[in-house]
Amino acid sequence: MKIGILTQPLHTNYGGLLQAFALQKYLRDMGHEVLTVDYRKSRVLRVLYHFARRFFAKFFCGHKVALFPKPISRGAGKFTQRFIEENIRTTKKIFAPARERDFAEYGFEAFVVGSDQTWRPAYSPYMPTFFLDFLGNDTGTRRVAYASSFGKDEWEFTPKMTKICAPLAKKFHAISVREDSGVALCEKYLGVNAEHVIDPTMLLSKEDYCDIVARDEARGLLPPAEGKNLFFYDLSGTTQNRRFADDVADKLNLKVDAILPNRDVRLSGLVAYPPVSMWLRGFRDAEFVVTDSFHGCVFSIIFNKPFIAIGNKSGGMSRFHSLLKTFGLEDRIVLLDKNLSAWERIPALCFGEIDWDKVNSIRVCEQARSHAFLREALGDCKEVSHE
């Protein structure tokens, strides 16, 4: 079957890139012909989006960021773009809002929406596209959502957007969501049934990701490994998060390996993001992981690395709770509030054992369940029904 995957625009987000890679690889391994839609924000929306990010960072987070900086260097994403070109088969560039004629040349028999926060309004350029509005009244093309995410456990759609998207959701042959809270949101606001499944990255094996690292190491594309460290993957870039990671590393007598520059430098676009393979190697070689990223937690689990998840209430906690509850690891979350409770928990979290046999057994069961969902969703569906 010819399948088009519709996900967030591909650029420099490691988790976003790897979930796109994983879902495409998994579907191809099932025997399908798969392309990921190279979906882009419209040029106007893109300018407004980046201005809004800089405005928020400057006036609400206190970062020293220019509201009207020089054009971002194309070199910022040169390594992540190489990963896309080598590992993810894409369509031509398609700008929001997508139209049916944009896909005419591909002959897609099915569209799979997901994963990542495709159904979070703040992150999605023109939301109806992620509900496949461009298919109109087409009943021959299968419509599937795999591990789509609302990002938070509260409903963020406006009443108008809900009114537009609910009828579109009812046209899907099958819907699955990444967080357990998403099941209830689908039922309450969209009027459809949804199944809770694992993130696409967890459908693949650890060896699939080690192969990416080994390939780049063999080609001499990575700097020499620095040995086993505490791997610190932090998206918020706060000094508080870094201080916490330093305290954990001190307790474990490890050196901190932080792969990303600070937030101010990232927003400037003046430096290149390190290769995806280097990010993966950080997990592979780590003795311990501290992260505030959903996919940072995911890859800690995949590589069986002890970790601490720094919660971020403004970014949405449902993703963390749903993931970690599935594997019985909710105690790995800390909130760095004004009291010292998080710091007081460092010894227990550093030296407490994780039952990886149990975690891996759960993952095998979740993989089987998710595979069954995809197999059935992409099978012979004559009618769309959510009864």
Side-chain angles (χ1 to χ4, degrees):
M1 178 182 292
K2 294 182 178 180
I3 300 173
I5 297 174
L6 188 60
T7 189
Q8 293 287 6
L10 305 176
H11 188 37
T12 56
N13 182 286
Y14 296 115
L17 292 177
L18 286 165
Q19 63 84 22
F21 159 76
L23 184 55
Q24 183 176 113
K25 176 174 171 39
Y26 195 78
L27 291 175
R28 288 176 58 197
D29 289 347
M30 288 176 68
H32 300 292
E33 298 179 40
V34 190
L35 290 176
T36 297
V37 178
D38 191 359
Y39 190 55
R40 309 291 182 99
K41 297 178 176 72
S42 71
R43 291 174 176 85
V44 173
L45 286 176
R46 191 164 65 247
V47 171
L48 291 175
Y49 171 75
H50 286 294
F51 175 80
R53 283 189 66 196
R54 291 191 294 270
F55 184 90
F56 184 83
K58 183 179 181 69
F59 293 108
F60 290 91
C61 300
H63 298 294
K64 297 179 180 178
V65 178
L67 289 179
F68 302 99
K70 295 178 181 179
I72 293 177
S73 168
R74 290 183 179 273
K78 64 180 180 181
F79 296 126
T80 50
Q81 184 60 37
R82 174 170 62 81
F83 176 82
I84 295 169
E85 293 171 356
E86 293 181 354
N87 296 281
I88 304 175
R89 297 180 181 180
T90 64
T91 64
K92 65 185 179 184
K93 294 177 183 178
I94 294 176
F95 290 92
R99 298 155 298 183
E100 187 175 16
R101 65 175 179 267
D102 293 329
F103 305 101
E105 65 189 270
Y106 301 108
F108 289 135
E109 300 164 90
F111 281 92
V112 177
V113 178
S115 175
D116 226 350
Q117 299 182 66
T118 46
W119 287 351
R120 187 170 183 179
Y123 293 173
S124 297
Y126 193 71
M127 181 60 74
T129 292
F130 287 103
F131 283 86
L132 307 179
D133 68 328
F134 54 85
L135 289 177
N137 294 320
D138 176 354
T139 58
T141 303
R142 290 184 175 86
R143 310 180 193 210
V144 177
Y146 182 79
S148 197
S149 171
F150 296 100
K152 293 189 174 184
D153 55 9
E154 65 262 20
W155 190 247
E156 295 186 323
F157 286 40
T158 64
K160 180 180 179 180
M161 190 57 63
T162 302
K163 188 175 181 179
I164 292 172
C165 293
L168 293 171
K170 291 180 175 65
K171 294 182 178 182
F172 275 64
H173 291 93
I175 291 175
S176 62
V177 288
R178 198 178 66 182
E179 288 83 43
D180 52 4
S181 61
V183 174
L185 293 177
C186 282
E187 181 179 1
K188 181 176 181 179
Y189 295 100
L190 299 177
V192 296
N193 295 328
E195 186 172 337
H196 178 212
V197 296
I198 55 174
D199 188 80
T201 53
M202 305 194 92
L203 294 172
L204 303 187
S205 69
K206 177 180 70 174
E207 287 69 32
D208 289 315
Y209 299 112
C210 288
D211 287 346
I212 294 173
V213 179
R215 188 165 63 242
D216 275 7
E217 286 178 329
R219 295 190 293 175
L221 297 177
L222 297 180
E226 296 183 358
K228 298 182 182 297
N229 303 302
L230 181 146
F231 186 53
F232 178 50
Y233 179 54
D234 175 50
L235 294 176
S236 66
T238 66
T239 56
Q240 185 181 46
N241 284 10
R242 179 57 195 246
R243 184 162 64 89
F244 182 81
D246 288 340
D247 286 354
V248 174
D250 182 64
K251 181 67 67 175
L252 292 167
N253 196 28
L254 295 172
K255 178 183 175 183
V256 175
D257 174 21
I259 193 168
L260 287 181
N262 68 50
R263 183 181 177 89
D264 296 341
V265 175
R266 295 206 306 272
L267 286 172
S268 74
L270 297 177
V271 297
Y273 281 66
V276 173
S277 53
M278 189 171 173
W279 187 81
L280 288 169
R281 189 176 68 179
F283 291 97
R284 185 195 69 179
D285 294 349
E287 290 285 343
F288 202 94
V289 176
V290 174
T291 184
D292 69 347
S293 155
F294 171 82
H295 280 107
C297 296
V298 166
F299 278 91
S300 297
I301 294 170
I302 290 173
F303 282 93
N304 284 188
K305 301 295 180 177
F307 68 98
I308 295 175
I310 301 175
N312 182 348
K313 290 183 179 179
S314 63
M317 290 295 294
S318 63
R319 296 171 294 151
F320 293 90
H321 286 301
S322 181
L323 170 70
L324 299 181
K325 182 170 67 175
T326 298
F327 294 96
L329 297 171
E330 281 187 284
D331 65 325
R332 311 306 298 182
I333 302 176
V334 299
L335 294 175
L336 303 185
D337 49 24
K338 293 181 180 180
N339 62 52
L340 298 176
S341 60
W343 271 264
E344 291 170 350
R345 291 179 59 200
I346 287 177
L349 289 171
C350 284
F351 302 111
E353 294 290 333
I354 294 176
D355 186 346
W356 289 114
D357 288 339
K358 178 181 177 182
V359 169
N360 294 334
S361 177
I362 293 171
R363 186 172 163 220
V364 169
C365 293
E366 292 297 320
Q367 285 176 324
R369 211 165 53 78
S370 298
H371 179 80
F373 170 85
L374 283 169
R375 187 176 62 247
E376 183 176 348
L378 296 169
D380 292 328
C381 299
K382 302 301 183 184
E383 297 181 359
V384 179
S385 176
H386 294 283
E387 297 299 325

